[in-house]
Amino acid sequence: MDIKLDPSRDDLPLMANTSHILVKHYVLDLDVDFESQIIEGTIVLFFESGNKFKKQSSSTEETYPSESNEACKFRMPEPCHIPVTNTRTVSSKVGYNDFVICGKGEKDTSGKDGNHDNQEQASGISSSKYCCDTGNHGSEDFLLVLDCCDLSVLKVEEVDVAAVPGIEKFTRSPKLRNQIVRELVALPADRWREQLDYYARCSQAPGCGELLFDIDTWSLQIRKTGVQTATDFPHAIRIQYTTKPQGRSVTWTSDQSGRPCVYTMGSPINNRALFPCQEPPVAMSTWQATVRAAASFVVLMSGENSAKPTQLREGCSSWHYYVTMPMPASTFTIAVGSWTEVKPEICSSNDLATERSFSPFEADFRYVGGCGHMEYPCRFQNASATTQEIIPHRVFAPVCLKGACQETLLPLIPPCLSAAHSVLGTHPFSRLDVLIVPANFPSLGMASPHLVFLSQSTLTGMSQFCGTRLCHEIAHAWFGLAIGARDWTEEWLSEGFATHLEDVFWAKAQQLAPHEAQEQRELRACLRWRRLQDEVRNSPEDMQVLRPNKEKTGHVSDSGSSVIKHGLNPDKVFMQVHYLKGYFLLRFLARRLGDDTYFSFLRKFVHTFHGQLILSQDFLQMLLESIPEERRLELSVENIFQDWLESSGIPQPLQRERLAGAECGLVRQVSAEVAKWVRVNRRPRKRKRKETEEVLEKLLPDQLVLLLEHLLEQRTMNPRTLQRLERTYHLSEQDAEVRHRWCELVVKHKYTEAYRNVERFLQEDQAMGIYLYGELMVSEDARQQHLARRCFELSKEQMDRSSAEVVAEMLY
């Protein structure tokens, strides 16, 4: 990266000029080279432009002022073919040096990271510096701006789609390239197979002219000389490029069995360091990808099909995936590694019948109600799919975790999928792969279309921790993917819903009686209330606001560019405020309306808005309009904005609720156990013979978490008490959430006998261990500080980059 960002204030720029021209489909053709740690190949982009982009006589003013176009020097690239010197690489493509090709007579100013340096940008991000002016200004050429970072772009060319054999079958203008693409992207949903086939054929068509391009820190800018409007700009272009080993969209590492792997890890910069794209969520597109890797590797990807490898030549295989539901490019996910598919030891015929896969269009396809999204093969329109409780699913993991997955994860997927269907209805996606990712994965889970990543931390202890996390990621299929936020600052629309729904799904998956389900939900609400209070005390006020742009939420420049507030702030990765405040808002609404009314509405909302992008007001307005005015109880969109979404701190309605609410039975049981442990801790080493032994109750994992949190509030706890505590509940064998609190207790009271538990946690539960490093250092205990530094030295090379930077700042 060629600029230093201020981690306390930097926003993430979205540079693509999506108001002028939109990518409708991507075709990726890639080779994965583990020797060089790069992904190289081509991407073909198919565009659609609107009527508003026809040539205008007057200039288009931008919402944000921009740098003069004179600052952008465009080059006609001359490809330099460099012979491949490493014969062990899997790639069949010609190799290239890691630099941006410059025109004849011009100096390569790319620097070692391949980006053209712009010294003005070194001062940080601002709307004036990072939102390019791409409108029409008299005789100036139209400028296509794509989001791009940490990539070496080698060549950009127009694709001659008119040269594709048979293209005349579905176009009225077989010689007009842009018209061919317009008609291709506009094919009706029931011709999706034909459409994908022609996308693939067009992507392999010859080039018909190289295009001028330049690249800066955050974008790739492309022109065609003499083309002044988006309508006339080539609607199919091919970009040849390579990623970089240090690129921030993918992580090259080793799995738990020590084998190399690479995966997208949900980077703050999304996928722009994996392929040039349009990042703004409004740029909803479909994609297909062919990925080649050594035959020993498995390629998993966001795709509707369960891809199988095709043997190309000795030692090399090819994998092909596709998606027909338009979604933002940020949701594209890939993982390549020596994964093992984990299969159940016994598979019943009933399971097979329930999980039968449905193609987007089958003989029994019939409309069951209109959809509001753009046309695509929608499962909500497929009568068979709407009744499918359990979609086909697979589990992949490193070979060393196969047994743990068979025991813990695999049995949970069918009941969790069935529970989700019972609450929300039709599964938006036709299948699901679940991958246990390497230990350096920086969170507990991540959902993308057809593919969920789970941390290895979810596999320890009882099934609850794994089950609730799985339910959270399954919920994202509806909220976060099928229904996305139009403005990424409104994360609560994804995370708040998933957090609220995980409890509902999990209770149904366990088939709990209503009273038991309510008790468990209240216990988890108590835990989240404590975390929210802690978060509010220890985070900047401006990062506690769920709708920071207020009335400007969803606004972009005339070109479509914008910035995501706090998008590059590393502290934001570790914050839970959007999860917690969003959860409590939805819980407040459900309690106010009643569960039956609320979840009935939620199903209606999902049916109305799936396949679309929303803002907070879309949800709230529809919710309030769905209930009679006399039952709204003074609720209004404006009040909810003011109390919950546009204020920092604890919302007033939530404070009143928590003060008035009585403790549930499970919480009262924990309070009684805390009192027992306080008495145990106060007893002298030599007790009187008549004293009775405390009878300790068995506790659920969430109760154990709450117990340990209360004990953390005790000023002192002696080693004898801590030893008994560990033995009573077998704390080192519990799930990661319980073990995390146990480690905090060990650190606070310098219980040296259990330092091995802390070391294990820092190594194996990296997604949750960041704050433990801080607590080890804050203690100013030499032994604890040495432990922290030793663990970091052992894991820093494999650790997620952002996490490693945060920990290094704590330690040194």
Side-chain angles (χ1 to χ4, degrees), residues 32 34 260-263 291 293 297-300 334-339 435:
V32 180
F34 281 94
C261 60
V262 61
Y263 64 96
V291 179
F297 292 102
V298 173
V299 177
L300 301 177
I334 186 172
V336 185
S338 299
W339 324 119
L435 172 66

Side-chain angles (χ1 to χ4, degrees), residues 496-725:
F497 275 90
T499 304
H500 186 240
L501 287 166
E502 72 178 61
D503 294 353
V504 181
F505 291 179
W506 181 234
K508 287 186 174 293
Q510 296 175 92
Q511 299 182 326
L512 297 179
H515 172 71
E516 288 181 285
Q518 181 65 20
E519 281 284 307
Q520 287 198 11
R521 285 207 294 266
E522 290 302 314
L523 172 60
R524 292 177 70 79
C526 175
L527 287 169
R528 291 183 181 123
W529 167 245
R530 295 172 64 88
R531 288 171 200 167
L532 180 58
Q533 289 178 297
D534 186 61
E535 182 113 336
V536 166
R537 282 192 297 266
N538 296 292
S539 63
E541 284 192 7
D542 63 336
M543 295 182 71
Q544 300 171 16
V545 180
L546 302 194
R547 193 171 179 258
N549 293 333
K550 299 186 177 179
E551 69 277 359
K552 293 184 178 179
T553 301
H555 289 198
V556 297
S557 73
D558 283 355
S559 73
S561 58
S562 62
V563 294
I564 303 302
K565 200 170 183 64
H566 305 305
L568 292 172
N569 191 322
D571 292 337
K572 191 169 181 294
V573 178
F574 306 106
M575 292 189 64
Q576 298 286 305
V577 68
H578 291 86
Y579 295 72
L580 298 171
K581 287 178 75 171
Y583 156 80
F584 277 112
L585 169 56
L586 296 171
R587 184 174 184 271
F588 166 79
L589 294 172
R591 286 161 66 94
R592 182 71 70 92
L593 302 178
D595 279 354
D596 290 344
T597 300
Y598 174 77
F599 286 107
S600 175
F601 158 77
L602 204 58
R603 286 180 72 120
K604 180 180 176 183
F605 180 80
V606 165
H607 193 274
T608 301
F609 280 99
H610 69 274
Q612 299 174 69
L613 302 173
I614 65 169
L615 298 173
S616 296
Q617 54 263 41
D618 296 317
F619 170 73
L620 296 172
Q621 286 170 355
M622 184 173 171
L623 174 67
L624 296 180
E625 289 170 1
S626 69
I627 56 177
E629 191 168 345
E630 64 271 13
R631 291 187 58 202
R632 293 181 192 172
L633 306 174
E634 300 180 357
L635 285 177
S636 70
V637 174
E638 293 73 20
N639 289 344
I640 294 171
F641 276 175
Q642 182 178 344
D643 292 342
W644 291 89
L645 303 182
E646 296 180 357
S647 303
S648 60
I650 305 289
Q652 287 296 324
L654 178 57
Q655 289 189 20
R656 291 193 293 268
E657 176 200 316
R658 299 309 299 182
L659 288 172
E663 287 186 341
C664 70
L666 293 177
V667 172
R668 289 196 299 271
Q669 185 181 7
V670 172
S671 299
E673 295 305 293
V674 170
K676 294 176 186 177
W677 282 107
V678 169
R679 290 194 294 271
V680 167
N681 191 54
R682 288 175 180 169
R683 284 177 180 167
R685 193 174 187 86
K686 294 182 178 180
R687 300 198 311 268
K688 296 178 181 179
R689 290 183 180 179
K690 293 183 180 180
E691 287 187 10
T692 58
E693 189 77 16
E694 295 286 358
V695 179
L696 300 165
E697 301 292 333
K698 186 176 180 180
L699 300 178
L700 297 170
D702 280 339
Q703 288 182 298
L704 282 176
V705 172
L706 184 58
L707 171 75
L708 295 173
E709 287 186 0
H710 279 300
L711 294 180
L712 275 165
E713 296 167 1
Q714 296 296 309
R715 190 170 182 179
T716 60
M717 291 194 73
N718 61 59
R720 187 180 68 258
T721 303
L722 292 169
Q723 182 186 57
R724 185 178 175 188
L725 187 70

Side-chain angles (χ1 to χ4, degrees), residues 434-454:
V434 180
L435 172 66
I436 300 299
V437 283
N440 68 345
F441 187 65
S443 65
L444 289 173
M446 184 179 81
S448 59
H450 310 281
L451 178 60
V452 161
F453 290 171
L454 285 182

